[in-house]
Every structure is written in structure tokens, then in C-alpha cells.
Amino acid sequence: MGYCMIELKKVNFNYNDGTRVLKNFNFKLKEKERIGLIGPNGSGKTTVFKIIMGLLNPQQGDIVIFSKKRQQKEDFLEVRERVGYLFQDSDNQLFCPTVEEDIAFGPLNLGKSKQRALEIVHDTLELVEMNGFEKRVTYNLSQGEKKIISFAAVLAMEPEVLLLDEPFASLDEEAIERMVSILNRISQPYIIVSHNNDLLNTVINKSYHMKELCCFI
């Protein structure tokens, strides 16, 4: 039922020090699914995201994204244009002097004109309820504001799928409410990692529990 956008088949992954993180790991994300990836630290949740984005290469298994098997580095260039990845640490995602420049960076990199990029900045800030932040200095934002602006920068690239790594971390109550509101309004399917199960359950329709190198629906 539904188009399968991401599928990992019997994936095995070990880090260079020999630590095994994933063993015969199977996973699917279909259209309209909003999946919570749940598990203790070290169970491989962020590793899964990095494999999907081509940042880590599994020792075994198949990676099929948008109906195409991804193996070589070049195969993931398209993936990175079509899949939005929100990092756990916003400081790793924001690197321009102002909010406007950070959000415009992605659209400009995708070939949008400067005028169109500025329109996207305006529309995206409206979507995340941060109107008027265009000229704010990114460095001076609170942690919660940085997280929302990081998400805005991801959304500005108009991704078809989202990978969200701890989007509620470091947020105050107001920012949490804003994040939940955004997640419930956007149309993209997504995979979300969070240790806050109460919040997670307000924004997902399915969950995978990762434990001891396995994955349970």
C-alpha cells in the first residue's frame, strides 16, 4: 500500500573500531507515513539517517531510495537534493551571518534566482511562524530559535522526504509548540528520532523500535 520512498534491506553496519550497530536491518518509509525511530543511545538511529544520505556506507545490504538502488557516491547526489536532513545540533547546520542568507542558501544552490530565493525565505519563515527574522544574526539566536531556523532552511529546499534528528532537543515550551505545529501542517512524509515519546506520539502515525541490532514495527 503506497509508494515506497525509502527502503533498507538486510543492512549491516560496523564502525571502524569493530562496533556493530546494524545487523540485517530492514526498514521502509512509504508515502504519507510519519515514522518515529525509537531506541536507546547507540542503537543506530542516527547511523540509519547517515546511511540514507550516503554519509556512511554499510558493509552489506541494499539501499533503495525513490525506487533506485543507491550504491556509489554519485547515486546520493539526487538523494541529498530530494531528502531534507535536520541535524541534531543546529550549529552544524547554520553557517551564514543572517537568517535570510541561511535559508536562501539551499534554494540558490539548487539554481533558484535571487528574487525567487528571497520569496522562498519569506514563505518559509511564514510557515514556521518566524516572520521578521530575515535580518537577525544567526549567531545571536537562542537554541530554540536556531532549531526552528535550521528546519526552515531544510524546508526551503522543498524536500520530498524529511529526516529529523531530535527536533525537540534544546527547545523551550514555546518552541516545542511551534515545532509540533509545523510537523502537523507540512505534507512531507518523515522519519523522526526523539527521546521524548510523549511529543513523538503527537506527530507520528507509526513507530520502529530499535534494540539489540534489530528493528521491530
Side-chain angles (χ1 to χ4, degrees), residues 51-215:
I51 288 173
I52 291 170
M53 298 302 288
L55 302 175
L56 293 174
N57 299 315
Q59 283 76 30
Q60 288 181 300
D62 294 331
I63 306 166
V64 182
I65 304 176
F66 305 122
S67 301
K68 180 180 177 181
K69 191 172 180 179
R70 311 287 171 165
Q71 295 175 294
Q72 308 301 322
K73 183 184 294 186
E74 294 75 18
D75 296 334
F76 289 92
L77 297 178
E78 179 194 16
V79 172
R80 292 169 193 168
E81 289 185 358
R82 298 175 65 183
V83 177
Y85 184 10
L86 180 66
F87 298 163
Q88 183 173 343
D89 186 350
S90 301
D91 289 328
N92 291 333
Q93 199 136 25
L94 301 173
F95 48 85
C96 294
T98 67
V99 166
E100 183 177 73
E101 291 170 288
D102 259 315
I103 298 176
F105 180 85
L108 288 171
N109 205 40
L110 292 176
K112 307 289 186 183
S113 68
K114 184 176 180 181
Q115 181 58 40
R116 179 59 187 141
L118 292 176
E119 291 171 358
I120 291 172
V121 170
H122 176 271
D123 293 345
T124 307
L125 284 174
E126 190 171 83
L127 172 65
V128 301
E129 303 169 9
M130 301 285 277
N131 308 69
F133 270 68
E134 286 88 344
K135 303 302 182 184
R136 293 281 296 273
V137 177
T138 306
Y139 179 80
N140 291 332
L141 299 178
S142 69
Q143 287 301 313
E145 290 168 341
K146 285 181 180 180
K147 182 78 75 168
I148 300 296
I149 295 303
S150 294
F151 196 17
V154 171
L155 292 173
M157 296 183 70
E158 301 176 337
E160 298 168 49
V161 177
L162 296 166
L163 307 181
L164 311 173
D165 196 351
E166 294 287 354
F168 305 117
S170 305
L171 301 190
D172 58 25
E173 188 172 336
E174 180 182 351
I176 285 173
E177 290 179 1
R178 182 178 286 121
M179 182 65 78
V180 169
S181 174
I182 296 165
L183 290 172
N184 283 321
R185 281 186 284 116
I186 60 177
S187 59
Q188 294 96 329
Y190 54 71
I191 308 167
I192 180 171
V193 167
S194 176
H195 285 93
N196 191 322
N197 291 339
D198 290 338
L199 286 174
L200 194 59
N201 288 330
T202 67
V203 296
I204 64 173
N205 53 32
K206 188 176 184 180
S207 62
Y208 278 72
H209 296 259
M210 298 179 65
K211 185 179 180 181
E212 295 179 355
L213 307 177
C214 298
C215 188

